[in-house]
Structure formats: structure tokens, C-alpha cells
Amino acid sequence: MAEFNINILGCGSALPTTRHLATSQIVDLRDKLYMIDCGEGTQVQMRRMRVRFGRLAHIFISHLHGDHCFGLPGLISTLGMLGRTGELVVHGPKEVETYLRPVMDLFCRGMEFEVRFNPVDTRSHSLVMEDRSLSVYSIPLKHRIPTCGYLFAEKPKEAHIIREMTDFYQVPVRCMKDIKQGQDYVTPEGEVVPNSRLTRPAAPPKRYAFCSDTAYNRSIIPIIEGADLLYHEATFAECDLARAKETFHSTARQAAEIARDAHVKRLVIGHYSARYEDLSELHREAEAVFPGTILGNEGTVIPV
């Protein structure tokens, strides 16, 4: 079982190439799957990476440019053909529903599951969704149309029981849940056994930040501060900085500067312009600022 993995399905930009697919990722948190963006080719790449369609319950759309959402109608149709019955929730700018409803009315009639739309305010950093495993927050980005990234924050896990100690103190099973949540144990004789004697701390919760598409935008730094993994678009090299500014995208160097100044633990770059057949220049520029930068690619699985 994956503890907390990021599966990169596509990391290209707007123009299709034979080298990269349009943007899409799967966040896999202990076999619960959350999709970020759904460009063309997403379904095929899910098959290649053996992603289980049935475990997908939430899709997060960053913005309404085609390379981030043109795969949605096909995916929804496929889920219907696979016999899905459980609700699918699509989070994103309010325009997502405006785009999808007419397409679904035409091509996805009679499905046995509901598609619910959750409008996201792309201008604010706010809670978008939460379940028992994690909380997802919006990250306001700077692009040509309303756009937001997403911060996936794992919820704290319960402490690990030290079985030898609970056996020694003959702790009843009914008390285990409270002990996992931090309570001490009081024996029938009235002795207080400290929780620290009965448990080991769980691993610290992890955080993953997805930031694409965006111009260089330092206002996101406080939001992603200290994240365990950051995916930041790196559409252009520094030699094309003027083009990056014109199109509200970032260079690889700018992505690395954001990662460095936000003190994130690791950086993966993507959303490459079709003009670069060789990505080594982008990688070198990011590495010079943030050593250890990961060059994202289709099929890459990155543990958070």
C-alpha cells in the first residue's frame, strides 16, 4: 500500500507533443486516490500506470485551460461504463460546471452515479475538502484566468501502541483507542501509566503542494512554507523569460527560487513548453538554485 505518493500522469503544457502528455496527477494516500487536473490522455496513462479507476472519488481542477481539463468528459463517461455508483466530486473554479454540464447532458446520460461540483474561490487560501485522511486547501495563483493550486495536508496519525507495554499493564482492548489518541492509562489499582510509556509517536504528517499554472508569485510562499514536496510549473528557461511574463508562466529558475525561499524539502518541476526537446537546460537552471530538483516525467511516482 502506498503511504503517500504522487503519480505524474502528464507534465506537458498546452501544445501536444509526442514527448509529454497534458497535465494530470494522482495523489495516492494509502490507496485513497485524488486527481489533480485531467488533460487529454489521462485515462490511457492511468491504464499504463495501473491506477484503479474505482478508487477515485475527488478531482481537483486548477483552471479552465484545455490542457488541464479536456480529459474530464471522457473520464466521466468511462467511469459510467465501468458501472460506478458512488458520487464523484469535481472541485475547481465555478466555470468547471458551466463547461461540463452541457457535455454530460449530451454524452453521459443515464449514468448511475452523481457528479457533484464544488466551486472553489481561486482568490483565497481556504479549505476545499477534508476527509478522515487529509485536508485540501486552495493556493491562489497568478495566471491569465482564475487559477488555483492545491495543498494536500495529511492529518496527524494516531500514535503506535507498544504491545509489550500494554500487555504488561494488562490494558483492556476498550482503552486502546483513547491511548492511541494520547490519553494515559489508569490501572484498576489507581496507578497512572503515562501515555509515553505505552506508545511511540506516529510519523509527522506530510504536505504536498501543487502549483501550476502560474507566473512567478511570491505570495504563495507562506502557504507552502516547509512543504515536504512541491510541484511547481517550469514552463520556460531563463532565455525565454519575456515569454514567461507575457503568458503568466514561470521559468525553471523561478520555480526553484520559490522552493528555496519557502524552505520546502523537495521540488519537482513540470508543465514544460513544447519548444524544449531537451529538458536538461531547465533541470540545470533549477538545480543551480535548488539542488536535488526532480525533473518530472510521465510515469514518475514520487513518495511524499
Side-chain angles (χ1 to χ4, degrees):
M1 178 190 297
E3 187 64 23
F4 195 170
N5 285 348
I6 308 303
N7 298 261
I8 298 181
L9 307 178
C11 56
S13 57
L15 285 178
T17 72
T18 58
R19 302 182 301 278
H20 297 290
L21 297 173
T23 297
S24 186
Q25 297 184 6
I26 292 286
V27 177
D28 184 346
L29 181 60
R30 294 184 287 279
D31 284 345
K32 295 178 70 174
L33 305 185
Y34 311 84
M35 177 177 284
I36 310 172
D37 284 342
C38 188
E40 292 177 271
T42 291
Q43 293 185 75
V44 174
Q45 191 64 14
M46 288 174 72
R47 291 294 192 194
R48 287 178 180 145
M49 297 183 70
R50 302 182 184 277
V51 175
R52 299 177 64 179
F53 285 66
R55 291 193 178 275
L56 183 64
H58 294 270
I59 299 176
F60 299 85
I61 300 298
S62 61
H63 65 295
L64 263 290
H65 278 159
D67 55 317
H68 295 257
C69 64
F70 278 174
L72 267 175
L75 176 60
I76 291 172
S77 176
T78 295
L79 292 175
M81 288 188 287
L82 291 174
R84 184 187 183 94
T85 56
E87 178 185 67
L88 178 70
V89 186
V90 180
H91 311 265
K94 63 181 184 299
E95 293 83 4
V96 175
E97 183 171 8
T98 305
Y99 152 58
L100 267 183
R101 280 295 181 196
V103 179
M104 290 170 54
D105 289 343
L106 188 60
F107 293 105
C108 303
R109 294 177 181 173
M111 294 189 308
E112 295 188 10
F113 70 97
E114 179 185 358
V115 178
R116 178 165 63 87
F117 294 93
N118 177 36
V120 176
D121 182 358
T122 60
R123 300 164 298 177
S124 69
H125 170 51
S126 56
L127 180 67
V128 174
M129 185 280 294
E130 68 176 338
D131 56 24
R132 290 183 298 176
S133 303
L134 86 170
S135 302
V136 183
Y137 299 89
S138 56
I139 305 173
L141 299 179
K142 186 179 180 182
H143 198 40
R144 288 169 288 171
I145 63 174
T147 305
C148 66
Y150 293 99
L151 177 66
F152 291 77
E154 185 183 21
K155 290 187 174 179
K157 290 174 280 190
E158 294 179 334
H160 301 294
I161 293 289
I162 303 175
R163 185 61 59 188
E164 296 85 354
M165 297 305 294
T166 55
D167 288 348
F168 177 80
Y169 287 103
Q170 298 182 341
V171 178
V173 172
R174 68 176 183 275
C175 298
M176 293 297 185
K177 182 175 178 59
D178 291 338
I179 291 172
K180 286 182 178 181
Q181 295 177 350
Q183 291 190 20
D184 298 332
Y185 172 63
V186 181
T187 69
E189 295 75 28
E191 178 188 357
V192 177
V193 182
N195 184 269
S196 59
R197 193 180 299 171
L198 301 171
T199 63
R200 295 187 186 90
K206 303 285 187 69
R207 294 189 304 145
Y208 170 60
F210 172 92
C211 297
S212 184
D213 295 5
T214 184
Y216 183 60
N217 182 16
R218 295 187 61 83
S219 67
I220 69 174
I221 289 176
I223 299 173
I224 65 173
E225 179 79 32
D228 295 274
L229 179 65
L230 165 66
Y231 176 91
H232 196 290
E233 73 131 279
T235 307
F236 294 104
E238 280 295 302
C239 62
D240 293 311
L241 178 60
R243 181 61 177 162
K245 290 180 178 179
E246 178 186 359
T247 57
F248 287 81
H249 284 294
S250 299
T251 67
R253 180 179 180 84
Q254 289 173 333
E257 288 175 356
I258 292 291
R260 178 196 63 198
D261 296 345
H263 305 104
V264 303
K265 295 182 175 64
R266 288 182 299 155
L267 167 68
V268 55
I269 57 174
H271 199 265
Y272 314 116
S273 169
R275 67 182 62 196
Y276 305 111
E277 291 193 15
D278 181 3
L279 300 177
S280 59
E281 181 180 0
L282 298 177
H283 197 197
R284 282 195 303 270
E285 289 183 1
E287 275 268 333
V289 176
F290 194 90
T293 295
I294 301 166
L295 194 65
N297 207 352
E298 282 75 10
T300 302
V301 179
I302 306 170
V304 177

